[in-house]
Amino acid sequence: MSEQPRDSSAPTLFTWEFASDPYPAYAWLREHAPVHRTTLPSGVDAWLVTRYADARRALADPRLSKNPQRHSAAAHAKGKVGIPGERRAELMTHLLNIDPPDHTRLRRLVSKAFTPRRVAAFAPRVRALTDQLIDALEERGEERGEADLIHEFAFPLPIYAICDLLGVPREDQDDFRDWAGAMIRHGGGPRGGVARAVKRIRAYLGELIHRKRLELAERGEEEDGEDLISGLIRASDHGEHLTENEAAAMAFILLFAGFETTVNLIGNGVYALLRHPEQRALIQRALEEGDERLLAAGVEELLRYDGPVEIATWRFATEPLTLAGQHIAEGEPVLVVLAAADRDPERFAEPDVLDLTRRDNQHLGYGHGIHYCLGAPLARLEAQTAIATLLRRLPGLRLAEDPDDLRWRGGLIMRGLRTLPVTWNSADG
């Protein structure tokens, strides 16, 4: 790893205290070491990119590969980079791990199945799921309701939604919920739990893809409302072929990226609104008046202010390069810190202030360049629906614990609360 001078005043990263509020540390890095060499908790050395302009360039730089084979094979085999268990489960060939031309081919195939029309048509199902989950919350309360909004609302909504969209049968969706829960617990679950969950999902997806391919062969013509996996198979069978491993990997990453980011977006977003009552009041008034324009802008601001993806997924230098004056050698990992870039005062006025009316808000919450999040429209739909329905149906929603007592999940890429205890008066509903 290239050497970088050490600064004794540099903040300590990746502790539990840091996880609770990483933004002061990121502010120091932006000012003093915008491209910063560090040793990650896994033991891997990597460069952190924290300024907005540098981050935006790095996200679109073709010299920074997404392919983990550009890094040490030994480090990757030990689960040091990427999703634990994905290599052993033969789930590597997905959009987060490949470069053009394979990335171009696979993204084109997925784009044919993951269309804006399909997402828009899914809105009634998202509303129905949201109402069902709030109904369940209300049924538990008498004079006073109390719940963990992560476990009982923010987590089940996107997992059931993405299962429906992918075409996972309803009778299998609770299994998926259990596997997904094991994946996002990270250090909070049993040792090896993530890899075991990945293995189970891989086996199930292989069987599901095989069944759907047989069903498509029998059915023939495309049907309205066809699920995403069927659309993916049909797109591949009518053009460039998608191997069984590629199909399983693509379904896996759509599942993984399609629920954990949304769990965090809803959880972090509701938490931010509960901590900023004046901003919450703005959006509640707009919703009461039937104006949802502030809702859409507000979700973008929540993405910028405390988004679900703290650090973009791994990139590796394919050749020696210089970034913000730092020399990065071939093969070295580069991690773009989206959370730091989106609070850069050189790009955003008063970046540490939550302002739902912010207009100039080209945040990097869902990335930039050819790896921009394909599922962003679905995540935005789910977040807007979830937040609007909560505020309408439970206007008295409030925190049930001191914010200092809340804990954030460990992990390098995602940022989200372990729990979000809330309370409300039953008359709110």
Side-chain angles (χ1 to χ4, degrees):
M1 195 78 176
S2 305
E3 289 298 325
Q4 182 185 35
R6 300 289 183 176
D7 189 327
S8 61
S9 63
T12 301
L13 307 178
F14 308 119
T15 64
W16 288 112
E17 293 77 13
F18 169 83
S20 297
D21 183 11
Y23 296 104
Y26 288 150
W28 189 96
L29 290 177
R30 277 196 311 267
E31 182 176 355
H32 300 284
V35 177
H36 176 66
R37 176 193 168 186
T38 191
T39 300
L40 305 174
S42 64
V44 173
D45 289 330
W47 293 94
L48 302 182
V49 181
T50 54
R51 287 181 182 168
Y52 181 93
D54 296 330
R56 188 176 170 91
R57 280 194 294 270
L59 290 171
D61 193 330
R63 298 172 299 172
L64 293 176
S65 169
K66 297 291 291 169
N67 187 345
Q69 292 180 359
R70 296 285 191 171
H71 190 224
S72 163
H76 187 69
K78 293 177 182 177
K80 300 296 187 181
V81 301
I83 300 168
E86 64 177 353
R87 175 187 287 269
R88 188 168 297 176
E90 298 184 311
L91 289 170
M92 293 293 298
T93 51
H94 56 69
L95 292 176
L96 295 183
N97 281 347
I98 56 176
D99 303 315
D102 285 336
H103 177 272
T104 308
R105 174 177 64 89
L106 292 182
R107 187 167 179 116
R108 182 167 58 242
L109 284 172
V110 178
S111 297
K112 290 179 182 177
F114 206 97
T115 62
R117 183 179 71 174
R118 191 188 298 271
V119 173
F122 198 58
R125 177 59 180 156
V126 174
R127 288 194 294 269
L129 281 169
T130 304
D131 280 324
Q132 289 170 17
L133 292 168
I134 295 179
D135 288 345
L137 292 179
E138 290 184 322
E139 287 171 7
R140 291 184 44 208
E142 294 180 0
E143 292 184 1
R144 180 183 176 92
E146 190 166 329
D148 172 9
L149 207 65
I150 300 296
H151 179 72
E152 298 176 62
F153 183 74
F155 175 73
L157 173 59
I159 193 64
Y160 288 137
I162 196 65
C163 280
D164 277 353
L165 195 65
L166 285 170
V168 176
R170 298 284 170 85
E171 61 269 22
D172 296 340
Q173 292 186 5
D174 284 337
D175 287 336
F176 256 81
R177 178 175 175 167
D178 292 341
W179 298 333
M183 288 180 65
I184 71 170
R185 278 196 293 272
H186 302 303
R191 185 177 178 86
V194 176
R196 283 193 294 273
V198 170
K199 185 177 179 180
R200 289 170 182 154
I201 291 173
R202 172 63 179 89
Y204 178 86
L205 287 174
E207 295 172 3
L208 182 63
I209 289 167
H210 179 69
R211 291 203 310 267
K212 288 186 178 294
R213 190 161 253 142
L214 293 177
E215 292 170 2
L216 286 173
E218 293 176 0
R219 198 166 68 216
E221 294 298 319
E222 183 175 356
E223 296 182 1
D224 291 337
E226 190 170 73
D227 63 73
L228 188 56
I229 290 179
S230 295
L232 190 59
I233 294 169
R234 192 182 292 279
S236 70
D237 288 349
H238 281 72
E240 298 167 283
H241 184 63
L242 195 68
T243 69
E244 195 268 345
N245 276 346
E246 287 175 336
M250 292 308 305
F252 167 74
I253 202 61
L254 289 171
L255 168 72
F256 179 73
F259 83 88
E260 188 170 9
T261 54
T262 310
V263 173
N264 295 345
L265 175 54
I266 295 171
N268 297 3
V270 172
Y271 177 63
L273 291 175
L274 295 180
R275 297 290 307 277
H276 296 82
E278 73 293 342
Q279 294 295 305
R280 172 183 167 179
L282 280 178
I283 201 166
Q284 281 186 302
R285 281 197 298 271
L287 291 171
E288 288 168 2
E289 295 168 359
D291 184 355
E292 295 198 351
R293 289 174 297 179
L294 185 60
L295 174 65
V299 167
E300 297 309 302
E301 174 66 351
L302 294 171
L303 276 161
R304 183 202 68 81
Y305 179 77
D306 199 8
V309 182
E310 185 168 345
I311 298 178
T313 49
W314 296 79
R315 284 166 169 79
F316 308 92
T318 61
E319 61 184 69
L321 58 94
T322 300
L323 190 58
Q326 293 294 339
H327 174 73
I328 298 172
E330 180 179 350
E332 291 186 341
V334 175
L335 294 172
V336 178
V337 187
L338 305 179
D342 280 342
R343 293 222 190 173
D344 187 343
E346 293 296 317
R347 178 60 186 82
F348 300 100
E350 297 185 288
D352 294 322
V353 173
L354 179 68
D355 179 7
L356 301 184
T357 66
R358 190 183 298 271
R359 293 186 178 182
D360 181 14
N361 200 359
Q362 293 182 336
H363 61 77
L364 301 175
Y366 280 121
H368 172 66
I370 64 170
H371 291 282
Y372 183 84
C373 179
L374 192 66
L378 177 62
R380 287 179 166 111
L381 167 65
E382 291 174 353
Q384 290 177 23
T385 304
I387 290 171
T389 309
L390 275 174
L391 295 180
R392 284 180 177 130
R393 293 190 56 181
L394 301 176
L397 194 71
R398 56 195 180 275
L399 289 172
E401 287 188 12
D402 189 296
D404 291 338
D405 294 332
L406 298 179
R407 292 294 175 264
W408 296 78
R409 285 200 301 271
L412 184 66
I413 303 299
M414 301 292 184
R415 174 165 172 78
L417 286 160
R418 288 181 177 271
T419 61
L420 182 54
V422 295
T423 186
W424 67 93
N425 296 326
S426 61
D428 289 346

